[in-house]
Amino acid sequence: MSTTPTAQKVAVVTGAARGIGAAVAARLAQDGLAVAVFDLDEAACATTVETVEKAGGRILAVGCDVSDSEQVEAGVARVTAELGAPTVLVNNAGIIRDNLVFRMTDQDFDSVIGVHLRGAFLMARAVQRHQTAAGWGRTVNLSSSAALGNRGQSNYSSAKAGLMGLTKTLAIELGPFGVTVNCVAPGFIATDMTEATAERMGITFEEFTERYVKTIPVRRRGRPEDIAQAVSFFVREEAGFVNGQVLFVAGGPKG
Ligand code: NAI
């Protein structure tokens, strides 16, 4: 008996050259989606591309600064032409510019809000066209336990709390079109970003880990794959009734 082939879904994952984004891209490819990886430098996505291609997946690397609306529009148009119209979006790109408030510059504040919050908005606005046209879509935004407050991160914490509001509003606006929008809020995950935090504090990553892990109920630091797993859940067909939610993936209830 012949079965009707269903078109392969196309996902865009931002900031996927490394860390959590790279793990999410690999996981979604494993789940059967074609994946476009956006990062500042297309060439920096080489390892992510190689991992997915070796596993037999379809992947496209796109150089794109997500805080720039023209680059976002051009990037999404390129994905549509080369892979197909994207209906899954994971807003993961991020930067940190930590400082206590009295030392934080306008630039530190604006650049962090620009990448995390404006970037997520620009991407969501560009991709929702394809999601609503298809009558189906999934957007997952990467927030953080820092949304609840974190010393030295007034810029980052504001952006991550803003992403929760953006998630809930988009969930309300896009739900009627079959599109769900959810948020994953990671705790401490071992990546270049947290290594940079340890460096700024003047301690080794191992010392940083040792201090931090004592405060995590499951007594370990998170891995990018822990987050990829949660994103994969929200993207799944069966998760269609889960909309506008925030899932903390932090090894315990304390944000
Ligand atoms: P990372 O620093 O290892 O990777 C971030 C990626 O985003 C890099 O490849 C970078 O080039 C890219 N990027 C930065 N600015 C960009 C822009 N304007 N346009 C496109 N790409 C850009 O970070 P990590 O740890 O993998 O974090 C990923 C996401 O998860 C971020 O949104 C971060 O805030 C969030 N997160 C991370 C946590 C952690 O413990 N590592 C905890 C909570 C949230």
Side-chain angles (χ1 to χ4, degrees):
M1 197 176 74
S2 70
T3 51
T4 316
T6 46
Q8 187 182 31
K9 292 195 165 82
V10 177
V12 176
V13 183
T14 70
R18 64 185 198 195
I20 294 171
V24 168
R27 176 59 200 249
L28 294 183
Q30 203 184 313
D31 291 346
L33 287 87
V35 185
V37 287
F38 281 31
D39 212 292
L40 287 172
D41 177 13
E42 187 176 320
C45 295
T47 311
T48 312
V49 168
E50 200 188 350
T51 307
V52 168
E53 282 182 344
K54 266 193 186 154
R58 272 173 84 213
I59 184 163
L60 172 73
V62 177
C64 174
D65 176 348
V66 298
S67 67
D68 181 304
S69 58
E70 279 179 22
Q71 290 188 39
V72 165
E73 290 296 330
V76 172
R78 192 175 153 205
V79 175
T80 308
E82 294 185 33
L83 274 187
T87 53
V88 174
L89 169 65
V90 182
N91 281 310
N92 165 86
I95 55 168
I96 47 171
R97 297 286 182 272
D98 297 355
N99 240 326
L100 293 173
V101 68
F102 73 94
R103 279 200 219 106
M104 186 165 290
T105 65
D106 298 11
Q107 180 59 28
D108 290 336
F109 191 83
D110 291 347
S111 57
V112 168
I113 298 286
V115 176
H116 292 270
L117 192 52
R118 178 182 155 85
F121 158 70
L122 294 176
M123 288 297 307
R125 189 178 60 184
V127 171
Q128 60 80 32
R129 263 177 241 129
H130 301 293
Q131 295 173 320
T132 53
W136 187 93
R138 299 281 186 263
T139 292
V140 183
N141 296 320
L142 267 289
S143 180
S144 167
S145 52
L148 305 177
N150 203 26
R151 186 178 154 83
Q153 292 197 314
S154 53
N155 49 3
Y156 184 81
S157 158
S158 303
K160 293 308 201 186
L163 277 167
M164 291 183 181
L166 179 68
T167 298
K168 287 173 190 288
T169 295
L170 294 182
I172 292 167
E173 291 188 15
L174 299 176
F177 300 94
V179 181
T180 67
V181 186
N182 291 286
C183 210
V184 174
F188 170 28
I189 312 298
T191 67
D192 290 319
M193 185 178 275
T194 38
E195 282 195 29
T197 304
E199 204 178 310
R200 181 182 52 82
M201 290 167 70
I203 57 176
T204 67
F205 194 47
E206 287 320 308
E207 282 169 322
F208 180 75
T209 298
E210 204 178 310
R211 276 189 211 176
Y212 213 121
V213 159
K214 284 186 194 137
T215 69
I216 302 173
V218 300
R219 296 286 187 270
R220 71 163 174 88
R221 63 191 185 194
R223 297 180 283 263
E225 293 72 22
D226 292 315
I227 305 307
Q229 166 81 7
V231 172
S232 167
F233 164 72
F234 283 126
V235 170
R236 223 170 279 171
E237 194 60 48
E238 299 87 329
F241 205 54
V242 184
N243 191 22
Q245 301 305 303
V246 179
L247 178 63
F248 282 86
V249 182
K254 187 171 155 281

